[in-house]
Amino acid sequence: MATRRQFIRISAMGAGAVMAGAAGLRLLASELTDGQKATMAALTGRTPTYCEVCFWKCAGWVYKDERGSIQKIIGNNEDLNCNGRLCPRGTGGVGMYHDEDRLRKPLIRTDDRGTQSFREATWEEAFDYIAEKIKVISAEHGPECVALFTHGSGGKYFSTLLRALGSPHVAAPSYAQCRGPREVAFQATFGEALESPEPLDIRDTRCLVLIGSHLGENMHNGQVQEMSDAIDKGATIITVDPRFSTAAGKSKYWLPIKPATDLALLLAWINVIITEELYDRPYVEKYTYGFEYLKEHVKNMTPEWAYGITTIDPTVIRETAREMANASPAVIVHPGRHVTWYGDDTQRLRAVAILNALLGSWGRRGGFFRTETFELPEPPHPAYPTPKRSWRTEFPDLYKMADTVLANGVCDATVPDPTRACEFQAWIVNGTNLMETLPNQENTLKAIQALQLLVVVDTMPMEITGWADVVLPECTYLERYDDLRVGPHRKPQIALRAPAAEPLYDTKPAFYMARELAKRLGVIEYFPFETMEEQLDWQLKQVGSSLEEMKKIGVKTIDRPYDDLYFYPDEDVEFYTGTGKIELYSLAMEEAGYDPLPKYTRHEEPPEGYYRLNYGRAPMHTFSRTANNPNLTDLMEENSVWVNPRVAKEWGLSTGQYVHLMNQDGKRSEFPIKVRVTERIRWDSVYMVHGFGHQEKKLRRSYGKGASDTNLITRVLVDPIMGGTGMRGNFVTFITDLAGEEVVS
Amino acid sequence: MNEELIISGRENLMVDPQLHIWHWPIPLYLFLGGLAAGVLFFAALYYLMGKENEYRSAVRRVPFIAPIALVIGLAALFYDLRHKAFFWQLYTTIRLESPMSWGAWTLLVITTASFIWCALHIREFFPNWDWKYNWLKELETFFNKYKKHLAWVMLIFAIITGVYTGILLSAFNARPLWNTSVLGPLFLASGLSAGAATIVLASKNREERLLFTKIDLVILGVELFLIVHMFMGFLASTQVQIEAAGLFLGGEYTMVFWIFVVMLGIIIPGILDLMELRGRHIPAVIPGILVLFGSLMFRFVFVFAGQVSRWLY
Amino acid sequence: MRYAMAIDTKKCVGCSDCVVACQTENNVPIGFCRDWVVEVMDGTYPQLEIELRSERCNQCENPPCVRCCPTGASHVAEGGIVLVKPNKCIGCGACIASCPYDARYPHPKGYVDKCTFCIHRVKEGMKPACVAVCPTKCMYFGDLDDPNSDVSVVLKKRKYKTLIPEAGTKPHLYFLI
């Protein structure tokens, strides 16, 4: 790669370059603007980090200008997650540091929850307050009634704290609000979940099938990079999406499917591949179980049958199936990531897994590779106490296949219910804006109002902070050490996050917070090291490295012990399923009382005058987290609602006009949203990017800009298999009369 | 359906959503510069034709407007600069390809010339003016001796001042509305007619007034011809030019252009001038003010509309 | 030596990383940008086509902005790159009006600013910040006069276009189509 060559040349030039650069600087000085002069000065002296803006955790280098202010963040060339190139959010991470709206001091609530009345407190006050409450709750109800919601590096420390206290309730919304159904489906089929980043060999694939995945608008850095590589190599992309996504624009086939009918298409594909005998026969015979059942099951699910449901031409269904099979085994039916759509998502992902299995892509080049990770020694601590209760006891017959704590489960189990033995009493929320994350905001608020203690740890005054009892201001990832990133990838890597600057204002890292709480709660022995620096150095020395070395290189690659990225020909692979094989027919699901093979079920369609609310991502934002970031709002400061021209004509809407949206339950959007009339969206749906419509006034840049889709997701289609909250079952209509309302601009 | 949009949120001040980098100071200067050019042109011309006593206003009195207009105009230009501390860089070089560079130097010359010319005729207003210092008296003598040369310089540089602003705008191929070579002569004509109108307004001599009314009428006719010619040129040109012309043929500037600039600024004063020449006595104020107003509006409309016209989305 | 850039519209996903990277590299003030991304949509659902372009100053060979500059602040530097000397710029704005691509903007400090092809990086053997960061690697930069440079190689392989060629500016920004 060109950048690698350039990079090596520079590091080889070393001191000479600095001197030559300085001389050149003087010559150039009259030509340079102030900004460029600062950049030249900053070419030396960089700090390694890995990004915290989204979950991808790309490793990079932080550069500061001559005044010591953080100037820019560049990718680490050795990092397999990003290959030296950060995505726009990562590049814009500097904005997270510079955002003037950041939380600055610990806050303690002074009035009723939700009135936003806080007083500034010292860290000691805040910790004492929290510790006292937790002690009381533990004594009265048990430590299991304290739950943690987390999305980010800080979760590790609060999780240690909770487990040390005896609570197993660590919930990541990224499970049941996002990838949960996929993990369960792939676990049931292949015996292992997909994790992050997904082990997709996109750069070597010959056919990439995106079903509801909008790579390029969702910025899964490594995957977008590899998709570009695949395009270079002439790979075929097949996109299935009711919307003309960016990926659809690069696809050989775009299937403009009717929303909520994807499962029918998948089953029809399976039908074609089995009927026309296009599947990888030796692979299927050697590695799979239940082929005959599957064959029988899809017997009548022909493309003609699917045509009636999906509106996709049967010829196209056959052609695309053949295209996939032709590329086999270098084909990927992308499992997507946010797959909580209609409530039958686990079954839909089962169909995706089955299809991949038939095509023989699992464990093969251009399909799914085998990840390798690395074990880092944990700091020595006593064994965790066994919790006496878990959330499962509150939902005995539901979500049997969920294998982690459900965020919505915890939320539901917080809302007082006389039939229940106990409720959650305290929440610690770190790095996730629950108001925008969990659908059905009303339910979330009910739960919050019932809590005895709500602690929110965040860098920004997100909506959830307004409801807290105690707000603990976290410093950004650029101002702290954190656990080493040890992620599974083609080769195991360790990445270091070191602080590039001192924490601004009175902010602190989550490690410090958890540790201080542990002190007061009598579980300090679970935090043997006083600082992360000490812990990191200890850990690294255990594996033959050191903090010193990692600071210089940022990322350390460890060789795979075996050359087993893909299956060897004829390898006797054992899968972690009941049968030891890839279960096309899932015995585990059958045992738990669910359908062992996916069945298509019809989902509700929008009533007259309503349109299905589809939401997605923009590549310059992530979650609702970046909506206030100055660098990223510069790129996109509000979302718009995409409306098909036929619909726009009917309603008299034009691009740039502001409208309110109202859903089927009468819930109106809090703020109006700009219309974009475009052919890219189907006439039965509208589309908007998630993460806008902030209601928190302290977010000065993003308050009132655009509308929040979460606001309008009141109808939640819960997946009975693992509790995933399907969010695409809401329909909206337009309210064009703003009644003199002023639009925030 | 065709959409072409910027999706990275570009909102560069004064560039997005539409170019608006030049505000009122620019058209104000263009008007004042054109007016001064017209006034000084006629002053120099009739001096060189030996008519300085016949047309006292034109040659000796009205030119006093020029330095005032030029100073205000230059102040407006200076005010418009965004990097004011470096304005002097204009005078460290002359760039032959840049009409603005021409303009900077031309303005230097014409402003100086206009001040000198007025200094020479200071006794039109202050009959007992005494220069006091010897070196000033020597300068007066010097310039009086070379008054003809001064007049030639003034004549030529007045024409350059009048025409270069039009050339400056017409050199912007990025702004299709301006990109027509008719604009130079049109600006000159507009400036000359403003000058002539001012002379008619200020003159106390009936013959002078009649002459300059005649001159004004001719120039207004030329202006009208050039405007029609310009539009014919646009409509026979490429798509961007047709679109640019569309701004005045149904677009947002239609009313203001045809009513304020053409009707009020050219046609009506033209008719009034004609009537005056045919013997109907029209108070000179009316066509005079209308012409000046039209000249001013013309520059405003053109500078603003020109920034709207573009090649892209 | 003639520097040029080629952008592969088939690979660009419109993520705007190039815009943020340029901002942090060159201290472009918040609210302004030296480069931007354009989306062009054509057709009727479902027969649709999309083109994504990362645009910036075209570093034209026949630059109207250099022609109209009264002080010479706008000039052509080595490699054919068009630069602005901030201390020669008087902020008259003529160059902003003269650019058919709207590539320039008035910097809050008073002078006129635009993309410089990161000449300060190029001189050190690095690529411009936008090219270096692009996750899809769809941007190519190099010397047109060097047949082995990235940009020369890719222009030989692919069909390409420039923007508004009829404006006569002879741009050095190529879009692979």
Side-chain angles (χ1 to χ4, degrees), chain A residues 33 70 96 267 287 411 428 434 448 484 628 697 708 711:
Chain A
T33 60
I70 293 180
M96 227 178 187
L267 292 166
Y287 295 123
C411 183
I428 302 178
L434 286 182
I448 288 177
L484 295 161
N628 210 60
K697 290 212 173 85
S708 156
N711 220 198

Side-chain angles (χ1 to χ4, degrees), chain B residues 1 4 24 26 34 44 52 54 76 85 91 102 138 155 170 190 196-197 200 202 210 224 229 233 249 284 292 296 309:
Chain B
M1 182 180 178
E4 196 162 339
W24 61 265
I26 302 301
E52 62 174 317
E54 267 177 71
Y91 299 104
W102 279 79
E138 276 166 28
L155 186 77
S170 72
S190 180
V200 171
L210 274 175
L224 196 60
H229 201 57
L249 301 169
L292 287 174
L296 179 68
S309 78

Side-chain angles (χ1 to χ4, degrees), chain A residues 295-487:
Chain A
K295 184 168 172 177
E296 177 66 30
H297 180 76
V298 299
K299 197 168 57 175
N300 297 319
M301 300 178 182
T302 60
E304 283 70 23
W305 162 82
Y307 172 52
I309 298 169
T310 61
T311 74
I312 304 292
D313 206 279
T315 332
V316 175
I317 298 180
R318 289 200 165 84
E319 256 177 55
T320 44
R322 287 174 200 147
E323 183 93 31
M324 282 183 242
N326 208 17
S328 156
V331 56
I332 301 173
V333 182
H334 198 297
R337 189 169 172 91
H338 175 91
V339 290
T340 45
W341 301 352
Y342 310 112
D344 62 349
D345 313 296
T346 312
Q347 294 293 8
R348 186 182 70 254
L349 267 302
R350 273 272 300 146
V352 169
I354 290 169
L355 186 53
N356 276 302
L358 289 178
L359 293 166
S361 62
W362 184 270
R364 316 284 280 286
R365 176 182 288 270
F368 294 72
F369 58 80
R370 278 200 283 219
T371 58
E372 185 68 53
T373 188
F374 187 74
E375 283 302 315
L376 266 180
E378 276 284 304
H381 61 79
Y384 291 118
T386 322
K388 303 193 190 70
R389 276 175 310 188
S390 96
W391 64 281
R392 274 217 183 277
T393 49
E394 298 311 316
F395 303 104
D397 288 310
L398 289 179
Y399 323 140
K400 288 196 269 233
M401 299 198 69
D403 60 357
T404 69
V405 181
L406 302 181
N408 49 308
V410 172
C411 183
D412 289 341
T414 308
V415 178
D417 185 339
T419 66
R420 230 196 327 262
C422 73
E423 269 95 37
F424 285 99
Q425 302 293 327
W427 288 1
I428 302 178
V429 180
N430 171 220
T432 169
N433 188 9
L434 286 182
M435 297 312 300
E436 293 296 312
T437 310
L438 296 173
N440 194 352
Q441 289 173 328
E442 216 179 289
N443 190 43
T444 312
L445 284 175
K446 246 197 258 177
I448 288 177
Q449 293 290 27
L451 286 169
Q452 276 192 53
L453 173 68
L454 176 56
V455 179
V456 176
V457 180
D458 208 318
T459 58
M460 296 289 300
M462 289 289 162
E463 277 74 14
I464 188 68
T465 59
W467 296 93
D469 299 329
V470 185
V471 179
L472 299 178
E474 197 181 6
C475 59
T476 67
Y477 66 105
L478 297 165
E479 297 150 279
R480 65 191 201 225
Y481 281 104
D482 264 321
D483 265 275
L484 295 161
R485 182 202 84 193
V486 183

Side-chain angles (χ1 to χ4, degrees), chain A residues 6 10 31 34-36 39 71-72 85-87 91 225 228 232 242 250 254 631 634 676 679-680 682, chain C residues 10-12 15 17 20 23-25 27 31 39 43 45-46 83 109 116 123 125-126 131-132 134-136:
Chain A
Q6 250 71 25
I10 296 160
E31 304 254 328
D34 297 348
Q36 290 168 336
T39 299
Q71 162 100 6
K72 65 180 183 185
R85 292 159 187 265
L86 293 180
C87 82
T91 310
Q225 292 190 20
S228 180
D232 260 341
K250 305 201 183 303
W254 168 46
N631 297 75
D634 231 13
R676 174 184 170 181
E679 292 279 358
R680 288 177 69 176
R682 221 162 180 252
Chain C
K10 292 264 173 278
K11 299 207 297 185
C12 173
C15 71
D17 209 350
V20 202
Q23 187 168 59
T24 57
E25 173 73 34
N27 254 348
E39 170 188 319
Y45 190 101
L83 293 177
K109 288 219 175 98
T116 59
K123 280 193 196 285
M126 296 188 273
V131 176
C134 176
T136 59

